[in-house]
């Protein structure tokens, strides 16, 4: 940023604090006092909250620490999930207490070299969980018995 942009950023930040303090928080304090029937501030109400339900996914958010009483409930606004296909359902249910791992390199990786496929397959074969691997390349020969390859392209 140049000097003018830095000054502008500082002024806008200070103005933002002033606006929030003098307009938004005062209205919230008035609202919470009316609801409670006694004078109270919004900050006091929020500090006494036992649990915060965050309607977002933690993996879509920026990395940051959060306190234990923050619970992510993303997905409550989505349509109901479809049942898994029978072969995937049987494979997942056979995992027992170890659980499953869904492994994908994203939608941008369509295929990879045979050597890299072998490296990943040997690494996945060493973990105790069952693995559903999204892979559209040639099936590696060293694929573990705990790994199934699926190509669930959209």
């Amino acid at each position: 940023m140049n000097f003018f942009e830095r000054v502008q950023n500082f002024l806008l930040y200070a103005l933002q604090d002033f606006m929030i303090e003098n307009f938004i928080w005062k209205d919230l304090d008035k609202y919470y006092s009316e609801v409670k029937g006694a004078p109270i501030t919004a900050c006091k109400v929020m500090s006494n909250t036992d649990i915060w339900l965050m309607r977002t996914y933690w993996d879509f958010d920026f990395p940051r620490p959060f306190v234990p009483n923050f619970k992510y409930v993303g997905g409550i606004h989505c349509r109901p999930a479809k049942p898994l296909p029978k072969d995937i359902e049987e494979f997942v249910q056979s995992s027992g207490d170890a659980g499953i791992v869904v492994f994908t390199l994203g939608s941008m990786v369509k295929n990879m070299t045979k050597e890299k496929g072998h490296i990943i397959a040997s690494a996945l074969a060493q973990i105790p969980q069952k693995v559903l691997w999204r892979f559209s390349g040639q099936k590696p020969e060293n694929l573990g018995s705990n790994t199934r390859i699926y190509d669930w392209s959209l």
Side-chain angles (χ1 to χ4, degrees):
M1 282 199 262
N2 61 30
F3 179 73
F4 176 72
E5 290 171 334
R6 289 177 189 266
V7 170
Q8 180 183 13
N9 191 30
F10 172 77
L11 292 175
L12 287 175
Y13 189 78
L15 180 64
Q16 174 185 338
D17 284 350
F18 175 79
M19 296 293 286
I20 289 173
E21 180 68 34
N22 290 318
F23 294 102
I24 295 174
W25 283 111
K26 283 190 178 181
D27 289 341
L28 283 174
D29 291 347
K30 184 175 141 189
Y31 173 76
Y32 283 119
S33 295
E34 286 176 12
V35 169
K36 182 155 171 85
I40 193 166
T41 64
C43 287
K44 181 69 175 165
V45 171
M46 287 186 222
S47 68
N48 291 335
T49 303
D50 290 328
I51 189 169
W52 287 84
L53 300 177
M54 306 298 289
R55 189 178 171 188
T56 183
Y57 288 109
W58 63 269
D59 51 352
F60 290 149
D61 216 347
F62 292 107
R64 62 177 180 203
F66 61 95
V67 294
N69 62 341
F70 274 52
K71 301 297 178 198
Y72 286 96
V73 291
I76 59 174
H77 55 283
C78 298
R79 62 179 172 246
K82 297 176 186 172
L84 290 173
K86 295 287 183 195
D87 59 333
I88 297 176
E89 180 69 30
E90 289 173 6
F91 182 72
V92 168
Q93 292 299 330
S94 70
S95 66
D97 291 337
I100 64 164
V101 173
V102 178
F103 180 74
T104 176
L105 296 173
S107 61
M108 299 301 287
V109 178
K110 297 292 182 196
N111 55 23
M112 64 179 70
T113 63
K114 194 173 184 179
E115 295 81 27
K116 287 185 182 178
H118 284 291
I119 292 169
I120 292 173
S122 65
L124 293 175
Q126 296 176 19
I127 63 174
Q129 293 86 6
K130 298 282 186 164
V131 180
L132 296 174
W133 181 11
R134 179 184 186 218
F135 183 66
S136 58
Q138 183 181 357
K139 182 178 177 179
E141 294 91 28
N142 63 339
L143 193 68
S145 62
N146 67 331
T147 307
R148 295 277 172 91
I149 291 180
Y150 292 98
D151 184 16
W152 60 77
S153 300
L154 297 175

